[in-house]
Amino acid sequence: MRLKSGDPGVFGRLAEELEAARAAGIPVEIVPGVIAACAAAATLGRRLSERGQTDRLMLATATCRPGDPEPDWPAMLREGTTLAIYMGLRRAGPLVQALAGAGVPLSLEAEVVAAASTARERVLRCRLGDLPGALARAGIAEAAVIFLRWPKAASPAPAKGPRAA
């Protein structure tokens, strides 16, 4: 029996593990769970999207197969987006460099939830520009979700009541 936390279909090796189990004649049952981004957002007391701030949610993994290109971080994070990055602790430096090079403000808040919804859960908050250093200082090395939120630019609130002519 193999029991995994979260949902095995989100950034897991579900296809490979199913193929191996079936080839060995092992019966398999898939039970979906709560994805790590949802559990981590609950820890933070935040929504994954916020009316008027973020209307786009991106889930991404920073761990690719050997030889694969680095994810296109600037394409994923733009104004109005919450980016939830799985398995990104060791890639925090290149992530910050790619975003900075594309003009993403280094002053954006970064939130990291390690070991979400477990007794070992830890939370780290810092600015995007300090993410690699803050992770090193905090000694966070276990599974974690990194949240980057780039709120929409301030815009005037919609008018209330009847319009004046």
Side-chain angles (χ1 to χ4, degrees), residues 105-130:
L106 294 179
S107 60
L108 291 181
E109 182 179 36
E111 296 175 297
V112 179
V113 180
S117 73
T118 73
R120 298 180 334 275
E121 181 177 85
R122 295 175 63 194
V123 173
L124 170 70
R125 289 181 173 91
C126 64
R127 297 288 167 213
L128 173 60
D130 191 37

Side-chain angles (χ1 to χ4, degrees), residues 27-126:
V28 176
E29 178 184 6
I30 300 170
V31 180
V34 174
I35 66 170
C38 289
T43 291
L44 297 171
R46 298 196 65 156
R47 297 176 301 253
L48 291 171
S49 62
E50 297 181 47
R51 188 185 311 226
Q53 297 294 310
T54 56
D55 54 14
R56 181 174 189 239
L57 171 63
M58 294 291 295
L59 303 177
T61 180
T63 301
C64 301
R65 292 181 302 185
D68 281 355
E70 188 76 16
D72 186 355
W73 299 118
M76 291 185 222
L77 184 62
R78 61 181 190 235
E79 285 187 49
T81 303
T82 296
L83 175 59
I85 303 166
Y86 288 64
M87 299 171 279
L89 298 179
R90 289 184 290 205
R91 305 298 305 152
L95 163 75
V96 171
Q97 289 175 350
L99 292 173
V104 174
L106 294 179
S107 60
L108 291 181
E109 182 179 36
E111 296 175 297
V112 179
V113 180
S117 73
T118 73
R120 298 180 334 275
E121 181 177 85
R122 295 175 63 194
V123 173
L124 170 70
R125 289 181 173 91
C126 64

